[in-house]
Amino acid sequence: YPLGTLPNQRTAGRYMDEILKSNIDLLAEKIVDDLQFFGIICSSTYEVRTGKSTFAQQIGEYYTDALNKKHNLNLTFDMKNLVFSMSDLFTRAFEVPKYSCIVVDEDEAVDEHYFSELSKQLRLFFRKSGQLNLFIILISPNFFQLKSGLAVSRSNFLIDVKFGGDFKRGHFGFYGYQKRKNYIF
């Protein structure tokens, strides 16, 4: 955000990688075409403290800003867009406006057994929730602990947030459908 864009703004805003920005811009442009997007953010270097939550919130904030500008909307991205369990997602998805971004931050129950009640509810939710036209980001410590139906078949992208040299945060890899196959195999 250029300096002066937001009230009380003290800096020019956040830098965003140009490729990531163009991918988020595309989601913001196309979601109004009766679409729903689902992305996963995880880490391949350790599982904690790599910056996944901060990264996801920055994506949600940028997506909301881009969506508002492209479609003359007035959506917000704040605490109502963050949930910490899948059961909260099931409720919150019906409370936020159409086209909103919801970040599900590290619900450990998401990797439950395929036949568990939560797994059944999750599959049903994603089959039925398309008309809500949401952009959902799931933060998971480990991509490989997720069920393949969710991680591979249902998601549109994977972002691997990782440490750089000397444990510097902010490094990531973006994997669309084709590149995600390479990440997995």
Side-chain angles (χ1 to χ4, degrees), residues 10 16 37 66 74-75 86 90 126 156:
R10 295 183 185 170
M16 182 170 276
F37 298 113
N74 193 26
L75 298 179
M86 295 310 282
F90 302 152
F126 276 110
N156 300 97

Side-chain angles (χ1 to χ4, degrees), residues 126-164:
F126 276 110
R127 280 196 298 269
K128 303 281 185 182
S129 67
Q131 71 272 15
L132 299 175
N133 304 111
L134 298 173
F135 174 26
I136 300 169
I137 300 172
L138 172 66
I139 301 170
S140 176
N142 188 321
F143 178 80
F144 297 103
Q145 291 175 343
L146 296 172
K147 300 295 172 226
S148 63
L150 187 65
V152 180
S153 303
R154 182 61 65 181
S155 66
N156 300 97
F157 63 85
L158 162 68
I159 297 177
D160 180 4
V161 178
K162 47 194 164 189
F163 286 123

Side-chain angles (χ1 to χ4, degrees), residues 85-109:
S85 72
M86 295 310 282
S87 58
D88 287 345
L89 170 64
F90 302 152
T91 304
R92 192 69 50 88
F94 292 95
E95 296 172 353
V96 297
K98 200 175 213 180
Y99 314 128
S100 292
C101 177
I102 299 178
V103 174
V104 184
D105 199 344
E106 295 197 36
D107 177 10
E108 294 190 15

Side-chain angles (χ1 to χ4, degrees), residues 12 45 53 65 68 75 77 95 135 162 168 170 172:
T45 54
S53 297
D65 186 60
N68 286 339
L75 298 179
F77 185 81
E95 296 172 353
F135 174 26
K162 47 194 164 189
K168 290 185 181 170
F172 71 95

